[in-house]
Amino acid sequence: MLRNSLHGVFSVYKPKGWYSREATNYVQHALSNEILGREKSNTRFKRKELIKIGHGGTLDPIAEGVLVLGIGNGCKELTKYLEGSKEYIVTARLGQATDTYDVDGKIVKEGRTDHLTWSLVKETLSTFKGQITQVPPIYSALKMNGKRLYDYARENIPLPEEIKPRVAFVKDIELLNYENDTCVFRVECGGGTYMRSIVHDMAIAMGTFGHMTALKRTKQGLFTLDDTLPLDWESISLANVKSKIEEKQQIVNLPKP
């Protein structure tokens, strides 16, 4: 059956406001509809009718950009394609901290910003280059005693222990813009690096507070924005997906020098 012969890894552009699982389901249904010769819609499927698909590297709803998907046997190959660094464009508001470290939370602290300058922001960001230690935000998917941290926060349950600091690696960090208490910067980093925590920590280092207002992932492993397919019925087709899969297979299968 055709659905069992579609294998590989490709990427889509996840829009802001979508969960990664929602984006994955959208692609799964669009391709399953085409394979079965149906009109593309949100038709209900029997489990055996759906193609096998999964995603690597979750993006929160606030984030947009590169989301890598595996189809069929490609689900087992995701790690190979995701080796290497990730790149993000981060937008942050300085002067206010929220309980989630991002714009979706409630403001819990406010600080002065009249002392902030382009030079100070740029210099402070540079101190986050290399190996850093950061405490993951409580609104994260990390588990503690088998329960997600964000579940403790949402249910207002005290944590059984403190969140332990984690070591992360930032390959490069660059200030792109700063005006009106808002800064935009680019980060290239390894896995497990929290952009919200970088914003939170850099603001405190400058004697104020801050929270992330927007996030775009521009690169993940072998995939960049130029590789992504938009999430619409026309773009998510068997022909387009196969073409994207073949492009990256040629790269992955090249002999190492």
Side-chain angles (χ1 to χ4, degrees):
M1 194 179 201
L2 182 57
R3 78 180 187 88
N4 292 323
S5 63
L6 189 60
H7 305 285
V9 179
F10 67 105
S11 63
V12 297
Y13 191 100
K14 187 196 85 66
K16 183 178 179 180
W18 287 50
Y19 286 93
S20 296
R21 187 68 248 176
E22 282 183 288
T24 306
N25 289 344
Y26 185 95
V27 175
Q28 185 181 43
H29 281 71
L31 297 179
S32 297
N33 269 317
E34 186 173 351
I35 288 171
L36 294 172
R38 297 176 178 173
E39 289 290 326
K40 289 189 174 181
S41 63
N42 294 318
T43 309
R44 287 193 175 186
F45 288 86
K46 296 178 181 178
R47 190 173 187 84
K48 64 181 181 180
E49 292 178 327
L50 290 167
I51 60 171
K52 181 182 179 182
I53 186 168
H55 65 81
T58 301
L59 280 176
D60 291 336
I62 189 179
E64 59 186 305
V66 179
L67 180 67
V68 181
L69 304 179
I71 289 184
N73 293 339
C75 294
K76 299 178 181 178
E77 300 175 346
L78 279 169
T79 301
K80 179 170 63 175
Y81 285 80
L82 296 177
E83 289 178 354
S85 61
K86 303 177 183 181
E87 184 180 77
Y88 297 91
I89 302 298
V90 185
T91 304
R93 167 73 187 277
L94 300 175
Q96 296 177 333
T98 68
D99 56 352
T100 60
Y101 291 11
D102 64 32
V103 71
D104 290 335
K106 63 180 180 180
I107 298 173
V108 290
K109 293 179 181 178
E110 296 195 58
R112 57 185 287 259
T113 59
D114 57 331
H115 64 295
L116 300 180
T117 63
W118 175 286
S119 296
L120 177 59
V121 176
K122 181 179 180 180
E123 181 182 344
T124 304
L125 279 175
S126 69
T127 65
F128 288 82
K129 185 175 179 178
Q131 184 171 291
I132 64 172
T133 300
Q134 58 179 200
V135 177
I138 188 169
Y139 281 89
S140 66
L142 288 177
K143 287 186 176 181
M144 182 179 290
N145 291 1
K147 191 180 183 75
R148 301 282 186 188
L149 289 183
Y150 56 64
D151 286 330
Y152 283 102
R154 290 168 181 167
E155 297 170 21
N156 200 26
I157 299 174
L159 294 175
E161 58 185 270
E162 289 188 359
I163 302 174
K164 296 179 181 178
R166 293 159 59 102
V167 174
F169 181 75
V170 175
K171 183 177 181 181
D172 194 24
I173 189 164
E174 173 191 12
L175 179 63
L176 302 179
N177 190 40
Y178 173 66
E179 57 182 333
N180 299 325
D181 296 337
T182 297
C183 67
V184 181
F185 57 95
R186 180 186 65 85
V187 180
E188 185 176 359
C189 60
T193 310
Y194 288 90
M195 298 302 109
R196 286 176 291 164
S197 292
I198 289 180
V199 171
H200 177 269
D201 295 344
M202 63 90 84
I204 288 177
M206 295 188 296
T208 186
F209 302 104
H211 64 274
M212 188 176 74
T213 57
L215 179 66
K216 179 185 289 187
R217 183 158 67 195
T218 56
K219 175 180 178 292
Q220 185 180 20
L222 293 176
F223 298 88
T224 66
L225 291 176
D226 291 337
D227 299 312
T228 60
L229 289 172
L231 281 184
D232 59 62
W233 291 128
E234 183 177 348
S235 301
I236 305 301
S237 67
L238 289 172
N240 287 343
V241 168
K242 285 181 178 179
S243 175
K244 291 296 185 181
I245 286 173
E246 289 169 1
E247 287 177 11
K248 285 297 181 276
Q249 283 178 333
Q250 292 173 5
I251 296 174
V252 171
N253 292 333
L254 286 176
K256 293 184 178 181

